[in-house]
Amino acid sequence: MKKKYKRLSFEERIIIETLLKENKSKSYIAKQVNRNRSTITKELKLWLLKPADIYKADLAHWYALENNKIKRTQDKINSHPRLKIFIYRSLLKGTSPELMAGQIKILYPNDPIMSISYESIYKHIYRFRQSTLGKKLIKLLPYHHYKRRDKRKYGIKKTRIKDQISIDDRPKYIEERLEAGHLEGDLMIGVAHKSAIGTIVDRKTR
């Protein structure tokens, strides 16, 4: 089982600062805090760019906490420039988030970074709807509203397929993807039903 990485604590950073003042090596410091040498090297590279630079535990720890907060509040689109550019270019072309999600699935079937649902795209667009950028993104949507409409307000969900079988009734062994021949499909309908993308993917071979 792979050991989960644990961030440096404030106490560990105090030890690092103390040992640096004693001119101890990175290898020695790593042993004292029971860390890999690469962890210590990465930490010090942020702060010791020049021989005269000084490492301060309190400042380093504050920076790490703030940086972690920023990462946690960022959505997937903001975290990956390649995905963000694709989505923004698609918006400029008038493509709906539903179609975008379908296009990405077809163009990048094995790329985990280039994988996102249309709902996540909508959430990104409406996240800061009062900002200048947010207003511009909303205007680029084929159907733009100041607020995202709640799908639950539009009545009870209607059944469009007669005698449909729920995906919950699918045999459990299919989930194991041990054999080819089991397919899953998606259908994305465009604006005003003028375009559509259908995808069929084999669950095992992809």
Side-chain angles (χ1 to χ4, degrees), residues 138-187:
I138 292 172
K139 284 184 178 180
L140 291 174
L141 288 171
Y143 295 120
H144 51 270
H145 301 273
Y146 181 68
K147 291 184 179 181
R148 183 82 204 280
R149 292 178 295 179
D150 191 340
K151 292 182 288 186
R152 293 173 296 180
K153 294 180 180 179
Y154 294 88
I156 301 172
K157 185 178 180 181
K158 296 180 180 179
T159 302
R160 296 184 179 181
I161 302 176
K162 186 178 180 181
D163 300 326
Q164 64 179 340
I165 300 174
S166 172
I167 195 172
D168 295 329
D169 296 330
R170 181 167 57 191
K172 297 299 180 183
Y173 73 90
I174 295 178
E175 298 293 342
E176 299 176 0
R177 304 190 184 193
L178 297 177
E179 59 183 13
H182 301 292
L183 310 177
E184 58 183 17
D186 283 309
L187 178 63

Side-chain angles (χ1 to χ4, degrees), residues 36-82:
N36 291 328
R37 188 179 186 276
S38 59
T39 300
I40 304 303
T41 300
K42 184 179 179 181
E43 174 74 6
L44 298 182
K45 271 186 176 180
L46 288 172
W47 304 99
L48 306 182
L49 302 177
K50 300 177 182 178
D53 289 341
I54 299 173
Y55 180 85
K56 287 291 185 181
D58 53 352
L59 180 60
H61 194 64
W62 174 85
Y63 171 82
L65 292 176
E66 290 300 311
N67 194 43
N68 186 45
K69 286 180 183 178
I70 293 172
K71 288 181 178 179
R72 284 188 296 177
T73 55
Q74 279 191 330
D75 60 13
K76 186 174 183 179
I77 296 173
N78 280 325
S79 300
H80 300 289
R82 191 157 55 98

Side-chain angles (χ1 to χ4, degrees), residues 7-8 18 20 28-29 53 60 72 81 91 98 114-116 145 156 162 170 174 181 186 199:
R7 292 184 177 85
L8 287 169
T18 302
L20 282 174
Y28 180 86
I29 295 173
D53 289 341
R72 284 188 296 177
L91 283 171
E98 289 84 356
M114 299 295 288
S115 173
I116 194 167
H145 301 273
I156 301 172
K162 186 178 180 181
R170 181 167 57 191
I174 295 178
D186 283 309
T199 64

